[in-house]
Amino acid sequence: MDVEMVELSVKAAEPVRPAGILHQNRVFLDFFWDLAKPDQEVRLKAIEDLIQYLKTNNKADELEYTFKRLVDGLAHTQEAARPGFSLALGQVLSTFEDVTLQSILNRIKEKHNLQTVKKKLVRNALFGNLFGVLALHQSSRLSKEPQVVLGCVQLLQSLTQHRQHLKDLPNKTMMDILNEIPEEVFEEVLLSALQTDLASAFSTPEQLQLLLVALQRFPQTLKPKKLKKLLGSSTIINAENIPKLTEVMKMAARSVKKECVLPAVVLDLLKLSLKEDSFQLFWNNAIINGMFKEPSGPTHYLSFRLLGSALPHLSIAQLKEVLSGEVMMHYGEHVVSAQKPDRFKLAPEMDTYVSNFLEGCQDSDKQLAVMVAFSSLTNRGYPVVPSVWRVVQHLQPAALQQYVEWLKKMFLQPQLDKLLDFSTRKQKDNQEGQEQKENSIFRLRKWIVSRLSSIIDNYQVKRQEDLIMDVARFVFFHAFFNAKKASADIPETGVKLSVPLDDRTRGVLVNSFFGLLLSMHHLPQPEDSAEGAADNRKRALGVTSDGTMWIYHLVQYASVLLNQPKHVQSSQPFSPEQREAWDSMIESVSNLKKKFKKGPTAENTAFQQLFLLVGMHLFKAPEELLGIMKDLQSCVDKAQEKKAKKKKKQAKEQEEEPEWVEVMVDILLSLLSQPSRHIRQVCKTVFTSICPHVTAAALTAILDVLDPEKDDEDSAVVVTDDNKTQKNPDEEDDEEDDEEDDEEMEDDESDGSGDDSDEDEDDSDEDEAMEEGDVDQNFRLELMKVLQQQNALATEEDGSSDEDLDDDAMMELDKGLAALFSEQKKKNQAKKDEKAKIQKEKALVRDFKIKVLDLVEVFVARQAGSPLVLGLVEPLLTLIDRGMSSDTDQQEQDFLRRAADIFRNQLCRSKVYCRTVGDRQGELHDLLDKLMTKTQKLSDSSVCLYYFSASLYVVKVLRGAPPAEARDEQAGDKAAANDLKYVGSMDVDRVSSIFREALSSFMGKRKSSLTAQMFTDLFNRFPILCVNLLDATMQHITSGVRVHQQGQASVLMLRAMQCKEVRQLLSGAPWTELCGKVAAQLAVSLQQVGPTESKVVKEKVVKILELCQFLVKQVHQQKLSVDLEPLQKVLQSLPSVITFNKTGTLEDTYWAVVKHFGVIKPKVEKRKPEKDAEQGQVSKKKKGFLPETKKRKKRTKPVLEPAGENSTSTGKPGADRGQAKKKHDKKAKQKRPADGATASQPSPAKKGKAQSENKAAKKKKKPKKK
């Protein structure tokens, strides 16, 4: 609150109470300040404390002051404060009932009188009156004082004129009051006051809303006779009032155009029509024939929102009628047209309305009616609601079952006449009878299949296992079979197709079925299943409640279909060989299930999944998978035999790993070439289970696929693409739904502009072909021949032209040219198609390699301790090296990122690694040498980092881990010391030599891809190698090829000496000796620094000083016998060589070093001469408004001033200012002390005076220049 209000309040309250009492009670006043705070919690707390305070003290003067402050605060300038004061006033009135509401209403009217208030405060006064009435209403005492109710309503009626400020708030407040008061008070007091408003109910939405609320609250008072007297009719909704109601609804629609909500008055009208049994009249005449006569806009959107809001209030018959009428047709047209960008979309709001209705409705019949109605709203056969419409998750199980049955029936026997189908204007112009009908049936079936699949995909849908199996069987049957004769064992043969399935629909069914398989593979086991309830372990995926895999049930169903050729016919019959493979697959799965019952293993389950999945894919691609199926059967048989042999002959060692693993890996690679995410996941699962049995040959087969050098060679694996489109094959199952939803608008958008767009594309293709390069010479020659044959080629001799040709010759010429250009266009198109084909093949191969990386990742994760992992190092590095320099498209980047992540994070940084090197020590040392040699030759630091990481990984493998038995026998400190010295199978001298050579390359080459951080990692991870490299590192402090390398050597030396493990290894005399050598080397390095301002040199000095600081500190702390005197002398002379600033890294580090020698950084005194010089420069800048030419002329005159030259250095700036500043310079010199130090800076007043004198001197000298 503002200060004036507080002061006025205090003054007004002075006669009632002793003066100064409120000044003494600061707590009481703070309540009112808190009421104006923007934080709602603070305001509510202040209200509670205020009421409690008033109850406790019970003082009349404080209560009086409270009412005054609260009434004043109703018109507070801050919007957040008004509700706080209003609520506080209402609560105080509710607590102190002895205070009459009439007295407070009089206070409000008097304080916020619109007639007497200043013009600029009118808006605040309006809100003061409104919030005052709200406070009286919130007191819950209005019904006890009828006259106050009348006064409030009259006050609100006067406020309704000021809509520009209050909008419809007064009317809403009146409705709230009506909802609170009893019918007697309304009849006796308010009815006469509201007579005018009620009589003019058809004028504005607010007045109509007031009437509807009064009708709802006081039906006994507003009887039909009374209504007839008020309105001229005994009912609100009748044929006579429909035009008036329509106009009021249009006004309401326009008033909420920006808010995008449904006005309450419209919904109240609909409820009233249901109550008066005039819904049919209201809907047809007011909505359909009234609101939709307006152009598309707010009135249409209001009708759509009313449709959604009306769903809970309508009966089943009314629902069916409304949802199959014109309003739904208009809604469908809006959804289709709103697909275009930058258009308002009401579909999300309708989704919310339907979702809320289905969630709150327990009547399955109503739920079914709404779902069927929205699914029947189609655009040329394709429903306007998306196939993945998530409102289905609120359906009751019974309604869901009936909805699925309706979808299946509509798929089998499409009845387009029962759909609410519409076409856009462009679509109506292009309709072609029978062909259009067939296309509509295809579009409808396509949507239905996707709708059925999405019901299974959505885990929130309340679906039973029987329903899931029913949908899967239905899709599978119609994807691969046809019904010949009805059979009781096969329900799908009971209803025949009224329209046969075409190839397009079959393709959709096939893709949807395998998408369903993937969804069922991830279905969680029901919570109420016997196994799941037995213990709280993680629920299994892809199995039914009895633990059987979903895909196994489908395979059994497929076997039933194959065994009943009389009733069912396959759309693509199996050959005898394929049928034999199917039967053997069934037998193999049965054998695996028997063994699974004896002892369940992950490997057994994985083999079952693979068998079943390959078996189901036999229906899709039998020729491709027949060989794979045979190999898989023999492979699994060998695997089982191998296990049996191992059990019988455990003592007998076998010379070779079984061949079945290699065959299995080849099978998995072949399957990964199939465009299916389900196959990819199952292959990953199977490979995980056979990882322990993988041999070097099997691993080599995987790595050969990833080898970049073999991209152009013929591969045994053929990457297939069934979709014939350039898409990511892995995403075929997911993109089907999106593709279907996107097709809603494709026809509408293409109908009107299809021909033009084709022509434009052709023209653009030709232009691109011309822009690609020079015209084909062969084409040029052919063109010359055509022109010469018709004598149309102008020559210099005869000067002929095409004007000499007759009509027949011109026609022949046109035909020849047309044929020539048509042929050339075909050639260009063929080149483009070939280029696109090559790009597509590359994308497919790259995608296949990304899938193969799954197997590598699994092997690294599961078999990190296997010696075979070492064989992955070089291939992965080659992959990364080639990838860094190849294409930069997104797919290539994803592949490279994946390979790099597997190599660095899962291989090199894994805590599990091969700890049994065995006889491979020499091979690993050679590998390390090879890697480090390659590292030094690389030019890219990012690739070099991967090679260096691989080298550290090889060193880690060579070193191994100390034997656990030896560690247990020794004490803690001794064991730790022995661990540091443990080298395992590593040849320390050879490895040290390899890294020493790399370090020399880093320090000796001007451009090297190696970095100091790489060697820092080496030092930290392997201290034993760090100790061997210390001498070489120390020499490079002075012998580095560049200043930068010398600084990096200092950094490496510092990191090495800071390493705790290194200090432990060099404890005693070696550490003292090392410190002495480093001190001598640092002294030599600092002596080499000459006078320079080079940034690189200063950075090197900083790094040397950091090493000096650590060294000197260690020597002093440990009291080592190291001669630091040469280093100290060099450090003392360093400031004379390099110019130090006042502060900075170099300066701070230097003083930190010499502090250990007892040299303290001198305190910097104020340099008054410099400040005075700076002041002179500043003043010079301030007075530099003259042109440059005049400044030069003035500089030639001060030669006659010997005093300026002989004065101290601080007088030079004054001399440079010219003769116009003589007086100012003399004054400054007089103020100087005799010792040469400058005087303190003059005060701003003196400075201003001096400047004014200088300006005056300039003005006096100007005439002389003229």
Side-chain angles (χ1 to χ4, degrees):
M1 297 200 43
D2 51 4
V3 179
E4 294 179 0
M5 190 176 294
V6 175
E7 291 175 355
L8 290 172
S9 304
V10 174
K11 289 178 182 177
E14 279 179 358
V16 185
R17 56 174 174 70
I21 185 172
L22 290 180
H23 292 284
Q24 298 172 4
N25 194 349
R26 188 64 195 173
V27 176
F28 177 60
L29 292 177
D30 285 343
F31 296 146
F32 303 103
W33 288 101
D34 290 343
L35 287 175
K37 296 287 179 63
D39 190 354
Q40 184 177 2
E41 294 184 0
V42 175
R43 296 201 302 266
L44 293 176
K45 183 70 167 55
I47 294 172
E48 294 178 5
D49 294 343
L50 174 62
I51 294 174
Q52 187 63 35
Y53 177 87
L54 293 174
K55 279 183 180 180
T56 305
N57 290 355
N58 197 16
K59 294 182 179 179
D61 58 343
E62 289 181 343
L63 185 62
E64 176 67 20
Y65 181 76
T66 299
F67 284 124
K68 184 181 185 313
R69 287 293 300 269
L70 294 180
V71 170
D72 291 349
L74 295 173
H76 202 286
T77 54
Q78 297 179 14
E79 294 185 4
R82 298 168 193 156
F85 283 99
S86 176
L87 180 60
L89 180 58
Q91 295 301 314
V92 173
L93 288 174
S94 177
T95 305
F96 298 94
E97 295 188 0
D98 53 335
V99 179
T100 61
L101 297 184
Q102 186 65 49
S103 63
I104 302 301
L105 179 61
N106 293 336
R107 277 177 180 264
I108 294 170
K109 289 181 179 179
E110 181 182 355
K111 178 63 182 177
H112 307 297
N113 190 346
L114 298 177
Q115 305 299 325
T116 59
V117 73
K118 293 181 181 178
K119 188 175 181 180
K120 63 179 180 180
L121 299 178
V122 168
R123 188 172 186 275
N124 293 344
L126 289 170
F127 279 105
N129 285 297
L130 175 66
F131 280 104
V133 175
L134 283 173
L136 298 175
H137 169 60
Q138 289 167 351
S139 68
S140 304
R141 292 169 49 194
L142 271 180
S143 57
K144 299 177 183 178
E145 298 186 31
Q147 292 304 317
V148 178
V149 176
L150 179 61
C152 289
V153 170
Q154 290 173 343
L155 181 56
L156 291 172
Q157 286 176 327
S158 67
L159 296 178
T160 54
Q161 304 171 6
H162 304 277
R163 284 188 60 85
Q164 70 273 23
H165 298 301
L166 303 177
K167 296 183 180 180
D168 58 344
L169 290 176
N171 285 286
K172 289 183 177 179
T173 308
M174 271 194 276
M175 294 171 205
D176 292 339
I177 292 175
L178 290 182
N179 284 323
E180 183 184 338
I181 62 174
E183 191 162 0
E184 296 80 14
V185 175
F186 173 76
E187 185 176 2
E188 295 174 2
V189 179
L190 283 188
L191 185 58
S192 57
L194 296 175
Q195 190 92 12
T196 305
D197 288 332
L198 296 177
S200 57
F202 298 132
S203 301
T204 63
E206 291 80 11
Q207 291 172 325
L208 179 59
Q209 176 75 3
L210 189 65
L211 173 62
L212 295 178
V213 171
L215 271 175
Q216 186 179 0
R217 284 281 295 129
F218 316 115
Q220 298 301 322
T221 302
L222 295 176
K223 292 181 179 180
K225 291 182 180 179
K226 189 67 176 177
L227 279 179
K228 188 165 186 178
K229 185 178 179 182
L230 283 172
L231 305 173
S233 59
S234 57
T235 57
I236 303 294
I237 299 174
N238 52 51
E240 182 182 350
N241 292 338
I242 286 294
K244 301 176 186 176
L245 293 174
T246 304
E247 291 301 320
V248 172
M249 287 193 293
K250 289 178 182 178
M251 293 170 59
R254 288 188 285 269
S255 67
V256 296
K257 181 178 179 180
K258 294 182 180 180
E259 287 80 1
C260 297
V261 295
L262 177 69
V265 63
V266 182
L267 186 58
D268 288 344
L269 273 177
L270 183 130
K271 293 177 182 178
L272 183 62
S273 69
L274 293 171
K275 184 178 179 182
E276 293 183 352
D277 199 17
S278 56
F279 172 74
Q280 193 79 24
L281 175 68
F282 171 75
W283 192 259
N284 291 336
N285 294 350
I287 302 300
I288 297 175
N289 297 327
M291 302 295 281
F292 282 104
K293 294 300 179 183
E294 293 284 318
S296 178
T299 55
H300 289 215
Y301 302 148
L302 180 142
S303 303
F304 299 149
R305 293 187 181 106
L306 181 61
L307 172 67
S309 302
L311 296 177
H313 307 287
L314 303 181
S315 64
I316 294 181
Q318 290 170 336
L319 280 173
K320 291 181 178 179
E321 181 182 356
V322 167
L323 295 176
S324 61
E326 270 192 60
V327 178
M328 282 291 282
M329 291 278 282
H330 285 292
Y331 173 70
E333 292 173 358
H334 161 76
V335 172
V336 172
S337 62
Q339 295 290 339
K340 296 178 180 178
D342 301 329
R343 290 202 176 182
F344 173 71
K345 297 175 178 60
L346 194 127
E349 293 183 44
M350 185 62 74
D351 291 349
T352 304
Y353 285 126
V354 177
S355 180
N356 293 338
F357 164 73
L358 295 176
E359 190 175 7
C361 178
Q362 302 301 319
D363 189 345
S364 58
D365 293 335
K366 284 188 176 182
Q367 288 185 333
L368 179 64
V370 171
M371 288 302 300
V372 169
F374 275 94
S375 300
S376 301
L377 179 61
T378 58
N379 171 226
R380 295 204 303 173
Y382 198 95
V384 298
V385 294
S387 59
V388 292
W389 207 24
R390 295 193 177 278
V391 299
V392 73
Q393 68 194 29
H394 301 301
L395 289 180
Q396 298 293 326
L400 181 62
Q401 181 68 48
Q402 292 175 323
Y403 180 56
V404 169
E405 292 298 328
W406 179 84
L407 290 172
K408 290 161 58 179
K409 182 180 178 182
M410 192 59 70
F411 178 89
L412 296 171
Q413 298 176 341
Q415 298 174 343
L416 299 181
D417 56 334
K418 290 189 177 182
L419 299 176
L420 194 61
D421 197 75
F422 64 92
S423 300
T424 61
R425 179 175 52 81
K426 292 179 181 178
Q427 291 170 346
K428 290 176 183 177
D429 296 339
N430 296 332
Q431 285 181 350
E432 297 178 1
Q434 184 63 26
E435 183 180 349
Q436 175 59 38
K437 182 180 179 182
E438 293 177 359
N439 190 43
S440 296
I441 291 175
F442 164 71
R443 286 159 61 88
L444 175 63
R445 281 175 166 170
K446 183 178 181 181
W447 183 89
I448 289 174
V449 173
S450 182
R451 171 78 277 189
L452 288 170
S453 300
S454 68
I455 290 175
I456 308 304
D457 290 341
N458 191 346
Y459 296 160
Q460 296 181 346
V461 176
K462 305 165 188 173
R463 60 215 188 301
Q464 304 296 328
E465 286 189 356
D466 294 339
L467 178 66
I468 297 173
M469 199 65 215
D470 184 37
V471 171
R473 286 161 53 116
F474 178 83
V475 176
F476 174 73
F477 179 86
H478 294 288
F480 301 109
F481 293 92
N482 293 317
K484 293 170 62 178
K485 186 179 177 182
S487 171
D489 297 334
I490 307 173
E492 284 74 21
T493 60
V495 183
K496 291 189 177 181
L497 295 163
S498 61
V499 179
L501 298 176
D502 56 2
D503 293 337
R504 292 189 300 169
T505 309
R506 291 263 187 208
V508 172
L509 283 162
V510 170
N511 286 335
S512 296
F513 171 70
F514 286 105
L516 266 178
L517 272 186
L518 177 62
S519 300
M520 296 167 75
H521 179 67
H522 292 292
L523 278 179
Q525 193 175 18
E527 294 181 2
D528 55 351
S529 64
E531 292 185 8
D535 49 16
N536 293 327
R537 65 189 174 197
K538 187 177 181 181
R539 286 188 293 165
L541 299 180
V543 296
T544 58
S545 56
D546 60 355
T548 308
M549 285 185 283
W550 285 103
I551 192 172
Y552 181 71
H553 287 293
L554 288 172
V555 168
Q556 288 181 318
Y557 175 65
S559 295
V560 172
L561 296 179
L562 290 173
N563 293 329
Q564 296 198 14
K566 293 182 180 180
H567 300 90
V568 175
Q569 179 185 3
S570 176
S571 59
Q572 190 177 359
F574 281 167
S575 65
E577 192 178 9
Q578 293 165 357
R579 181 58 192 268
E580 183 183 353
W582 172 268
D583 293 337
S584 61
M585 181 270 295
I586 297 292
E587 184 180 355
S588 299
V589 171
S590 300
N591 295 334
L592 287 171
K593 289 183 76 66
K594 291 177 183 177
K595 294 178 180 178
F596 184 80
K597 291 179 180 178
K598 296 179 182 179
T601 60
E603 186 176 340
N604 189 307
T605 305
F607 281 147
Q608 286 188 53
Q609 285 184 355
L610 190 59
F611 262 124
L612 296 170
L613 186 58
V614 174
M616 295 308 289
H617 274 269
L618 274 176
F619 289 98
K620 182 179 181 181
E623 296 177 358
E624 296 176 13
L625 296 175
L626 180 61
I628 293 178
M629 178 65 80
K630 291 180 179 179
D631 293 340
L632 181 61
Q633 288 167 352
S634 62
C635 181
V636 173
D637 291 341
K638 288 182 181 179
Q640 300 299 328
E641 291 174 7
K642 183 66 184 172
K643 286 187 175 182
K645 289 179 182 178
K646 282 187 176 180
K647 289 180 180 177
K648 293 177 182 178
K649 304 177 181 181
Q650 292 181 354
K652 184 178 179 180
E653 295 183 359
Q654 299 181 5
E655 299 177 358
E656 298 179 357
E657 289 289 338
E659 297 178 358
W660 67 268
V661 178
E662 300 165 22
V663 179
M664 179 61 77
V665 168
D666 289 337
I667 291 172
L668 295 180
L669 292 174
S670 300
L671 289 174
L672 285 175
S673 65
Q674 298 290 325
S676 171
R677 185 179 299 177
H678 192 184
I679 288 181
R680 178 180 181 179
Q681 293 180 354
V682 172
C683 287
K684 191 174 179 179
T685 304
V686 172
F687 189 75
T688 302
S689 64
I690 66 172
C691 263
H693 311 291
V694 170
T695 62
L699 195 59
T700 302
I702 296 174
L703 296 175
D704 287 344
V705 175
L706 298 173
D707 191 354
E709 295 179 356
K710 298 186 179 182
D711 279 350
D712 299 330
E713 300 177 6
D714 292 334
S715 175
V717 179
V718 179
V719 182
T720 59
D721 180 22
D722 295 340
N723 293 334
K724 306 298 182 189
T725 53
Q726 191 170 354
K727 295 174 182 175
N728 186 350
D730 232 11
E731 298 176 356
E732 66 140 48
D733 300 324
D734 286 348
E735 68 186 10
E736 184 66 29
D737 295 338
D738 300 335
E739 186 180 307
E740 291 161 0
D741 294 337
D742 293 341
E743 191 181 335
E744 284 184 43
M745 272 299 295
E746 69 177 10
D747 293 325
D748 182 36
E749 291 180 352
S750 62
D751 284 341
S753 58
D755 299 334
D756 298 337
S757 63
D758 292 340
E759 293 175 5
D760 294 342
E761 288 175 3
D762 294 342
D763 295 341
S764 63
D765 291 343
E766 292 177 5
D767 295 340
E768 290 174 5
M770 295 295 289
E771 290 173 1
E772 284 178 0
D774 297 333
V775 179
D776 188 2
Q777 292 300 323
N778 294 329
F779 175 66
R780 185 189 294 273
L781 293 175
E782 293 293 333
L783 182 60
M784 297 286 286
K785 287 180 182 178
V786 172
L787 295 174
Q788 286 175 358
Q789 287 174 1
Q790 302 298 329
N791 295 324
L793 192 64
T795 59
E796 295 180 0
E797 292 81 3
D798 55 7
S800 61
S801 67
D802 56 355
E803 295 178 0
D804 299 335
L805 299 176
D806 56 10
D807 292 342
D808 294 337
M810 288 292 290
M811 291 294 291
E812 290 295 326
L813 178 63
D814 289 344
K815 289 180 181 178
L817 291 175
L820 179 63
F821 279 99
S822 177
E823 184 179 356
Q824 182 66 18
K825 183 179 177 181
K826 290 179 181 177
K827 290 181 181 179
N828 292 337
Q829 187 61 39
K831 289 180 182 178
K832 287 185 178 180
D833 293 344
E834 185 66 23
K835 184 178 179 181
K837 183 180 178 182
I838 294 173
Q839 290 178 347
K840 180 180 176 181
E841 290 176 353
K842 286 184 178 179
L844 289 171
V845 171
R846 183 64 64 204
D847 183 75
F848 170 63
K849 290 187 176 184
I850 290 175
K851 293 189 218 175
V852 174
L853 279 179
D854 287 348
L855 306 185
V856 177
E857 184 176 15
V858 168
F859 188 77
V860 171
R862 297 278 177 167
Q863 297 294 313
S866 170
L868 293 177
V869 174
L870 298 172
L872 296 174
V873 173
E874 285 190 282
L876 286 176
L877 284 174
T878 305
L879 208 63
I880 295 170
D881 193 5
R882 296 289 180 88
M884 289 287 192
S885 57
S886 61
D887 298 335
T888 57
D889 62 328
Q890 186 60 43
Q891 196 182 29
E892 179 70 27
Q893 291 179 9
D894 293 341
F895 176 68
L896 178 62
R897 192 179 297 111
R898 182 91 185 280
D901 177 71
I902 293 172
F903 176 76
R904 193 168 186 193
N905 296 329
Q906 301 186 40
L907 178 63
C908 295
R909 295 181 178 176
S910 175
K911 294 182 179 179
V912 181
Y913 58 91
C914 178
R915 298 174 187 268
T916 54
V917 177
D919 300 331
R920 304 183 63 182
Q921 299 178 17
E923 181 185 345
L924 287 177
H925 282 92
D926 293 340
L927 175 61
L928 176 62
D929 196 357
K930 183 178 178 181
L931 291 174
M932 288 307 301
T933 304
K934 176 73 173 176
T935 303
Q936 297 170 43
K937 295 179 180 179
L938 292 171
S939 58
D940 189 349
S941 288
S942 56
V943 180
C944 180
L945 179 61
Y946 288 102
Y947 273 87
F948 201 88
S949 299
S951 303
L952 296 183
Y953 173 73
V954 174
V955 174
K956 179 172 70 172
V957 172
L958 282 170
R959 180 180 180 270
E965 297 82 4
R967 297 189 63 183
D968 294 339
E969 295 174 0
Q970 297 172 349
D973 296 339
K974 191 174 181 181
N978 289 334
D979 286 351
L980 293 176
K981 296 178 181 178
Y982 180 79
V983 294
S985 303
M986 180 172 56
D987 184 349
V988 179
D989 294 337
R990 182 177 178 184
V991 174
S992 300
S993 175
I994 292 172
F995 282 106
R996 189 178 294 110
E997 183 181 350
L999 183 61
S1000 300
S1001 173
F1002 172 47
M1003 295 296 175
K1005 286 185 179 180
R1006 299 189 66 83
K1007 290 185 179 180
S1008 176
S1009 57
L1010 296 165
T1011 62
Q1013 185 59 44
M1014 297 178 186
F1015 290 98
T1016 302
D1017 292 342
L1018 172 67
F1019 291 174
N1020 291 332
R1021 293 175 62 180
F1022 305 104
I1024 190 70
L1025 295 177
C1026 176
V1027 171
N1028 293 343
L1029 296 176
L1030 283 177
D1031 290 340
T1033 306
M1034 184 169 51
Q1035 295 301 322
H1036 291 302
I1037 294 177
T1038 56
S1039 63
V1041 68
R1042 291 192 306 170
V1043 175
H1044 174 71
Q1045 267 94 339
Q1046 296 173 10
Q1048 293 299 310
S1050 301
V1051 172
L1052 287 177
M1053 201 65 205
L1054 174 61
R1055 299 292 177 264
M1057 296 181 72
Q1058 286 176 337
C1059 182
K1060 181 181 177 182
E1061 291 80 5
V1062 172
R1063 294 201 298 271
Q1064 290 178 359
L1065 288 170
L1066 294 174
S1067 58
W1071 176 250
T1072 305
E1073 183 181 355
L1074 175 67
C1075 291
K1077 290 180 180 179
V1078 173
Q1081 196 74 8
L1082 290 176
V1084 174
S1085 179
L1086 287 175
Q1087 285 175 352
Q1088 294 176 353
V1089 178
T1092 181
E1093 292 295 329
S1094 172
K1095 184 179 179 181
V1096 180
V1097 175
K1098 288 188 175 182
E1099 289 178 354
K1100 169 198 165 182
V1101 173
V1102 169
K1103 293 176 174 61
I1104 292 175
L1105 290 175
E1106 289 174 352
L1107 180 56
C1108 288
Q1109 182 180 5
F1110 176 80
L1111 176 68
V1112 174
K1113 185 177 180 181
Q1114 288 292 316
V1115 170
H1116 287 171
Q1117 284 183 350
Q1118 300 178 16
K1119 298 180 180 179
L1120 302 177
S1121 57
V1122 176
D1123 185 13
L1124 296 177
E1125 187 175 350
L1127 180 61
Q1128 183 179 0
K1129 290 181 179 179
V1130 176
L1131 287 172
Q1132 289 176 352
S1133 63
L1134 190 61
S1136 62
V1137 179
I1138 299 179
T1139 305
F1140 280 10
N1141 297 323
K1142 292 181 181 178
T1143 184
T1145 308
L1146 175 62
E1147 292 75 14
D1148 296 343
T1149 311
Y1150 173 78
W1151 291 112
V1153 174
V1154 297
K1155 185 178 181 181
H1156 292 288
F1157 294 107
V1159 180
I1160 306 299
K1161 181 179 179 180
K1163 292 184 179 179
V1164 181
E1165 298 180 358
K1166 292 183 179 179
R1167 299 183 180 180
K1168 296 179 181 178
E1170 291 182 6
K1171 287 190 176 182
D1172 193 43
E1174 290 174 5
Q1175 179 187 348
Q1177 291 176 1
V1178 171
S1179 61
K1180 181 180 178 182
K1181 287 181 181 178
K1182 287 184 178 180
K1183 297 189 178 183
F1185 298 102
L1186 292 175
E1188 294 293 330
T1189 52
K1190 292 187 178 180
K1191 289 183 180 179
R1192 291 194 190 99
K1193 289 178 183 178
K1194 291 169 69 175
R1195 282 174 186 157
T1196 57
K1197 295 180 182 180
V1199 180
L1200 301 175
E1201 263 189 0
E1205 296 175 359
N1206 297 332
S1207 63
T1208 60
S1209 60
T1210 54
K1212 289 181 182 179
D1216 291 340
R1217 296 174 195 168
Q1219 289 183 357
K1221 303 175 185 178
K1222 281 183 181 179
K1223 296 179 181 179
H1224 180 69
D1225 291 341
K1226 288 179 181 179
K1227 290 180 181 178
K1229 290 176 185 177
Q1230 290 172 1
K1231 292 179 182 179
R1232 276 187 212 124
D1235 58 356
T1238 56
S1240 61
Q1241 188 174 353
S1243 65
K1246 294 179 180 179
K1247 185 177 178 182
K1249 185 178 179 181
Q1251 288 178 357
S1252 62
E1253 290 176 359
N1254 290 339
K1255 289 181 181 178
K1258 280 187 179 181
K1259 290 180 181 178
K1260 290 178 182 179
K1261 288 191 177 184
K1262 279 183 181 179
K1264 294 180 181 180
K1265 286 184 180 182
K1266 293 180 182 179

